[in-house]
Amino acid sequence: MSSDSQPPVGLRLCQAYFALAIALALVFGFLCAPAQFAYDISMVRVLLLMAGGATTLWLMSQRANSARVVGSLTALACALLSALDHAAFGAYDTLARYIGELATTSIMVVEYAGAIAVAVYLTFAPSAKRVLCRPPDMEPGSPDHHGWDKPLRERVRKWEFWRDLAIYFIVFSIVGHWAEILFCQLILAGVFMGGYDPSNAMLWDQWLFPFTAEGAALVAIVLILHPVSRWLLEKTGNRVLLALLLSFLVNMAVCTSIDFTTGMIANQDYQLWDYRDMPFNFMGQVCLQNSLVYSIAATLIVWVVYPLMDTALHRAPRGVTNAIAAGLGGMYLFLAMLYFVDISALFR
């Protein structure tokens, strides 16, 4: 059987295994109350499954030989962590409360038997070796990749641009959360003025809670603020300092407008933040200190961070970048299901 023919039954069963495991993980996130989801071995196992499973399915669709290694390791590692979780940390009892003991036991049997079968098939089966035979795509970037130094109208026509944009959104949704923690710590240390809520579990305990606003801000930087900075550089005759100053002012206007608009829509009762005691505030929704911090961060990303990231992704092997995008997509899908869909609230 050639690599271009219909996949053998064994390979299709492996694909079904990972698809089913991912679906069950999403159901698990759908049923769990976010505040009750502990950052323990269950989180490690689920994130490994989502990232490794999504990457494996992508590699299988490309007939890549690396799918055999990634798939085998993902299946065995998840089964091992699941056994440890069930035996030592009470995951069995937790799941059984939601779906019953019979369903939980059936899932465990399918999970362990399936993991072993998948690992054995991908490692030893001749049909798997014959079909999953393409070597890793180690060519850097895309031959017609249009990077950050090209006009936006050219870049948006390429699939790589949207893939990279998804990577930026996911990464900065998480990094933005950590930046918020750092900002609160600097307030505590007296570097910045203001207050914070030390009881905010979403901020302090749920370290992987995706701050969508920060991810969306990076998308806005790529689609709006960075092209504006390139336009300003061109219009000022490549006078970098002048273009940088003008770019900072534009960034400040945009960031402050977004912050104020968000506040007027979602923070009219000042439950999320309250800047009324801050100097140079406007209606308690925005203040000069935070606008300066946001604008400096945006300018740094526009002029330094984003070009470096885009250059790195362009130079990285295509196969590696695509696999990273698939893995991050799987991980983010679970986090979004866990934190943005709280079905348990209907039963409380």
Side-chain angles (χ1 to χ4, degrees):
M1 180 181 296
S2 68
S3 60
D4 295 326
S5 62
Q6 192 72 11
V9 174
L11 186 58
R12 281 182 282 178
L13 289 175
C14 289
Q15 293 172 323
Y17 167 82
F18 283 110
L20 177 61
I22 288 174
L24 290 174
L26 293 178
V27 171
F28 181 61
F30 180 77
L31 294 174
C32 283
Q36 298 174 358
F37 193 87
Y39 274 55
D40 53 17
I41 195 172
S42 294
M43 175 63 93
V44 176
R45 176 173 59 86
V46 173
L47 292 181
L48 175 63
L49 169 63
M50 294 300 299
T55 302
T56 300
L57 289 175
W58 164 259
L59 293 172
M60 285 181 175
S61 71
Q62 303 301 302
R63 305 290 179 91
N65 56 14
S66 52
R68 296 173 51 233
V69 176
V70 175
S72 297
L73 291 179
T74 298
L76 291 177
C78 288
L80 179 61
L81 290 173
S82 181
L84 181 62
D85 197 13
H86 287 146
F89 297 98
Y92 178 91
D93 295 334
T94 300
L95 188 58
R97 284 200 299 270
Y98 286 107
I99 63 176
E101 292 190 6
L102 179 60
T104 302
T105 302
S106 301
I107 290 174
M108 290 175 57
V109 171
V110 171
E111 180 182 4
Y112 300 145
I116 295 173
V118 165
V120 170
Y121 175 81
L122 292 177
T123 303
F124 300 107
S127 59
K129 297 178 181 180
R130 186 168 60 248
V131 175
L132 302 175
C133 60
R134 293 180 182 172
D137 185 357
M138 301 304 290
E139 290 296 323
S142 172
D144 57 355
H145 177 88
H146 290 162
W148 61 269
D149 55 340
K150 302 295 182 182
L152 182 64
R153 63 179 178 273
E154 296 181 15
R155 293 154 55 206
V156 297
R157 300 172 183 172
K158 305 301 177 182
W159 176 81
E160 289 83 3
F161 172 81
W162 299 104
R163 176 204 62 194
D164 296 348
L165 197 63
I167 292 176
Y168 301 147
F169 173 80
I170 295 171
V171 170
F172 274 83
S173 293
I174 305 300
V175 173
H177 183 161
W178 300 339
E180 291 281 353
I181 293 177
L182 175 60
F183 188 69
C184 291
Q185 293 289 357
L186 292 175
I187 291 176
L188 180 62
V191 176
F192 295 118
M193 296 179 291
Y196 66 94
D197 183 3
S199 64
N200 188 342
M202 179 188 72
L203 178 66
W204 299 105
D205 299 335
Q206 308 291 329
W207 288 3
L208 294 179
F209 185 99
F211 276 28
T212 306
E214 275 73 3
L218 202 284
V219 172
I221 285 174
V222 174
L223 295 179
I224 301 173
L225 298 183
H226 183 265
V228 167
S229 73
R230 304 298 298 175
W231 180 82
L232 290 171
L233 190 61
E234 179 184 350
K235 293 301 180 181
T236 57
N238 290 321
R239 286 180 285 181
V240 176
L241 290 180
L242 178 57
L244 181 62
L245 175 60
L246 294 174
S247 174
F248 173 80
L249 295 176
V250 171
N251 296 343
M252 188 172 187
V254 172
C255 291
T256 304
S257 298
I258 292 175
D259 203 22
F260 179 76
T261 302
T262 302
M264 294 303 294
I265 294 174
N267 191 46
Q268 294 186 18
D269 57 357
Y270 302 102
Q271 187 175 19
L272 298 177
W273 65 81
D274 186 353
Y275 300 147
R276 286 176 290 183
D277 293 332
M278 296 286 289
F280 303 104
N281 78 85
F282 182 66
M283 297 180 64
Q285 301 292 353
V286 294
C287 64
L288 180 60
Q289 172 191 271
N290 289 19
S291 292
L292 287 173
V293 171
Y294 299 154
S295 304
I296 292 172
T299 303
L300 180 64
I301 294 173
V302 164
W303 286 81
V304 180
V305 177
Y306 168 60
L308 288 176
M309 290 190 306
D310 191 80
T311 300
L313 288 179
H314 173 43
R315 294 177 178 175
R318 287 194 298 263
V320 173
T321 306
N322 290 334
I324 289 174
L328 285 174
M331 182 189 73
Y332 186 83
L333 187 60
F334 173 77
L335 294 175
M337 183 65 71
L338 174 65
Y339 290 119
F340 301 151
V341 182
D342 186 8
I343 191 66
S344 64
L346 298 177
F347 304 100
R348 293 200 296 268

